[in-house]
Amino acid sequence: MIRVMATVLIVDDEDFMRDSLGAILSKAGHGVVAARDGLAAEKKLDERSFDCVITDLKMPRMDGLELLKRVRARGQTPVIVVTAHGTIDTAIEAMKAGAADFVQKPFGAEEILARLDKALGLARLQREAANLRELASEQRPMIGGESSVMRELKAAIERMAQSDATVLIAGESGTGKEVTARAIHAASPRRQMPFVAVNCAALSAGLLESELFGHEKGAFTGAERQRKGRFELAEGGTLLLDEVSEIDPGLQAKLLRVLQERVFERVGSSEPVVANVRVIATTNRDLAEHIRAGKFREDLYFRLNVLPLKLPALRERREEILPLARHFLERHARKLGRVAPRLSPDGEAALKAYRWPGNVRELENTLERLCVLESGQDLNAGVLERYLSVGGGGATAGGFAGYAPGVVPSLEDVERDLMAYALKTLGGDKNLVAEKLGITTKTLRAKIRKWKLQG
Ligand SMILES: Nc1ncnc2c1ncn2[C@@H]1O[C@H](COP(=O)(O)OP(=O)(O)OP(=O)(O)O)[C@@H](O)[C@H]1O
Ligand SMILES: [Mg+2]
């Protein structure tokens, strides 16, 4: 059997037991942390995550059964229960409460090591199964609703789900356009049917055409057999045309025809195929600009834009940042089989003040990295600073601002970013900041409180 090295929390009120079990595990190459009762163990669990907990049952202050329940409530860490008073009843009770295994004292080194390996292997399988389930269902819940824009968006999704009209979702990269498209499909009467996505920017015009409409055998060199396109694969369901602005003009005409007449032909065929497909398109470009530049057909735009939906940038709905952050911390920690690190109040403020040019995707990626690299520690402003590419609130390495071209921020955004930048640059000297910005320190303090800036 391959032995997996683990970090184990040993909980027992007898010094001798803690020491001898600790010695057995260390000798086998495992990391060991010890605690003398349930309460002490909980403290250790707050500090870091463990791969397994081995606990005695009878202990002062908090016994093993209570500890077991609390560990289970926290997450997936397996718990092996050890007791000298091994009656059948306590064993059953412990297993019911979710113990991974039950070992009776006295036990030999080989026995406890084998039980530990078994528990670790099982925990890993459970974790993998949970990850697979999540991947397979792609049922990532859509988080949000603290801000009025998100509440409106969710209501719009519900309404749009009841119609078959084409939806055009616009928004900066990473704002959740695909998540929204999936949510519309999932709330629609088509939910049992396929959801199929095509990235229009990823393929050349020729390949995209056969990808969308399919082709007959021999339609072009390399077409060795008939192939169904995405329109046919999505039959009865929803087709997502991702980054629709990138479709080649020639193909735009064909797409327009499907949207108008609901029929198309496979490449190399003249036989019409009827498409019963609800189309959703996304764009992170300004389509009006594309139309003016002659790169996008206006008639196609009107066909796509029957139900327009605009996803706001994350910095335009800052109330959503913390709920999303906590959700991502939980999710990625669970994936790794760890306890989610906690955000300290100044860490939360740093997340809220940051500009998030990459929107929700950047937030998720940042928190995933934090889960991997900083587990077992409180995430404070100092830790976060190292992960946020542009220093808090729009202060770039080069100087103030750093808004992307074409982005017009609100005055309040600029004001907050400027204050965060000034505070950082001037080392938090409020008198100096107020003087430079031409405001009173009283006003400055009020805004620092309002935006939870690092004063
Ligand atoms: N409201 C939300 N709740 C939970 N997760 C979200 C939410 N919005 C976005 N995400 C997550 O953020 C990431 C980016 O979302 P998505 O792929 O939908 O963005 P996009 O707008 O399509 O981006 P792009 O323009 O780059 O394709 C995904 O991992 C998604 O799961
Ligand atoms: Mg996308």
Side-chain angles (χ1 to χ4, degrees):
M1 185 187 231
I2 304 169
R3 188 149 275 174
V4 186
M5 295 316 150
T7 309
V8 182
L9 177 62
I10 300 176
V11 194
D12 201 311
D13 54 332
E14 285 174 52
D15 298 345
F16 171 73
M17 274 307 298
R18 277 200 312 278
D19 295 347
S20 59
L21 182 53
I24 293 172
L25 298 184
S26 316
K27 207 171 148 212
H30 296 299
V32 173
V33 172
R36 51 177 68 244
D37 60 40
L39 276 183
E42 265 210 310
K43 278 226 177 73
K44 303 281 182 201
L45 287 161
D46 283 339
E47 285 163 16
R48 55 157 303 157
S49 50
F50 292 91
D51 300 306
C52 185
V53 175
I54 303 183
T55 182
D56 189 22
L57 271 184
K58 289 212 166 161
M59 294 178 296
R61 299 208 297 167
M62 187 199 291
D63 69 8
L65 213 50
E66 179 59 29
L67 175 64
L68 164 64
K69 287 176 188 155
R70 295 194 183 190
V71 175
R72 299 308 296 163
R74 278 165 182 263
Q76 307 298 316
T77 314
V79 178
I80 299 176
V81 167
V82 178
T83 184
H85 327 275
T87 67
I88 296 288
D89 286 350
T90 38
I92 291 175
E93 205 180 334
M95 296 312 269
K96 270 196 192 147
D101 209 342
F102 188 84
V103 186
Q104 233 172 300
K105 287 181 195 172
F107 48 78
E110 273 315 306
E111 182 182 3
I112 189 76
L113 287 173
R115 303 276 188 131
L116 175 61
D117 281 344
K118 199 180 103 203
L120 292 172
L122 196 65
R124 204 190 57 228
L125 285 178
Q126 282 168 346
R127 218 156 50 226
E128 280 166 6
N131 289 346
L132 279 179
R133 265 199 305 280
E134 187 176 71
L135 265 183
S137 68
E138 295 196 61
Q139 276 303 322
R140 296 228 198 150
M142 186 170 185
I143 306 299
E146 299 286 319
S147 61
S148 55
V149 267
M150 281 305 281
R151 280 195 298 276
E152 275 163 29
L153 179 75
K154 285 194 155 176
I157 287 174
E158 289 298 323
R159 284 196 305 275
M160 292 181 178
Q162 300 317 314
S163 140
D164 254 352
T166 307
V167 183
L168 180 62
I169 308 175
E172 284 180 23
S173 181
T175 44
K177 296 186 292 296
E178 181 162 348
V179 175
T180 302
R182 286 181 189 276
I184 294 173
H185 173 73
S188 79
R190 295 174 176 267
R191 72 178 74 92
Q192 303 292 346
M193 304 305 278
F195 176 94
V196 176
V198 197
N199 186 337
C200 302
L203 298 172
S204 68
L207 282 177
L208 182 59
E209 179 172 10
S210 99
E211 192 67 33
L212 285 175
F213 303 120
H215 58 72
E216 294 297 336
K217 184 176 169 189
F220 48 84
T221 355
E224 279 161 18
R225 61 179 74 113
Q226 189 206 58
R227 185 160 174 252
K228 283 189 179 173
R230 303 288 172 110
F231 267 97
E232 272 176 273
L233 293 175
E235 179 62 22
T238 305
L239 179 68
L240 172 65
L241 300 174
D242 222 353
E243 303 199 47
V244 76
S245 58
E246 305 311 299
I247 292 191
D248 172 86
L251 206 49
Q252 288 178 21
K254 294 203 170 133
L255 185 58
L256 178 64
R257 175 157 172 256
V258 203
L259 294 178
Q260 278 174 338
E261 298 168 23
R262 300 278 153 192
V263 289
F264 63 90
E265 286 94 30
R266 297 190 188 117
V267 178
S269 158
S270 52
E271 199 186 313
V273 182
V274 176
N276 166 20
V277 171
R278 202 265 171 93
V279 173
I280 300 180
T282 75
T283 178
N284 53 23
R285 304 229 184 186
D286 184 356
L287 273 184
E289 178 70 27
H290 259 47
I291 293 167
R292 274 197 297 280
K295 290 190 211 141
F296 204 83
R297 293 177 65 122
E298 191 165 25
D299 46 6
L300 177 57
Y301 171 73
F302 287 123
R303 274 286 159 186
L304 290 172
N305 201 34
V306 182
L307 302 176
L309 211 48
K310 171 90 174 71
L311 284 191
L314 188 56
R315 63 187 162 280
E316 288 160 11
R317 42 174 157 135
R318 292 192 196 259
E319 305 94 305
E320 308 289 343
I321 292 175
L322 293 183
L324 278 165
R326 292 192 197 105
H327 168 73
F328 292 138
L329 281 177
E330 280 297 326
R331 203 157 73 81
H332 290 288
R334 185 161 14 97
K335 223 163 84 183
L336 295 161
R338 294 185 179 168
V339 176
R342 260 192 301 235
L343 288 161
S344 68
D346 67 341
E348 292 188 342
L351 287 184
K352 278 191 87 170
Y354 180 61
R355 275 180 30 74
W356 300 112
N359 294 298
V360 186
R361 177 176 295 111
E362 185 185 4
L363 178 66
E364 175 163 12
N365 291 345
T366 304
L367 293 170
E368 182 173 11
R369 278 203 298 279
L370 281 160
C371 279
V372 173
L373 301 172
E374 307 285 340
S375 106
Q377 95 154 275
D378 266 9
L379 305 177
N380 58 33
V383 175
L384 286 170
E385 197 106 300
R386 286 188 273 120
Y387 287 80
L388 303 179
S389 51
V390 191
T396 66
F400 173 64
Y403 291 98
V407 173
V408 180
S410 69
L411 277 177
E412 183 170 328
D413 263 344
V414 178
E415 194 183 350
R416 178 185 38 230
D417 288 351
L418 176 58
M419 265 178 204
Y421 170 73
L423 282 163
K424 199 173 161 196
T425 309
L426 303 176
D429 183 335
K430 295 194 189 67
N431 291 327
L432 190 57
V433 170
E435 188 192 314
K436 290 262 181 202
L437 297 182
I439 53 175
T440 63
T441 46
K442 191 164 164 244
T443 308
L444 178 65
R445 283 179 205 281
K447 305 244 162 165
I448 288 174
R449 268 198 307 281
K450 178 173 170 201
W451 292 319
K452 299 198 173 62
L453 297 174
Q454 273 184 275

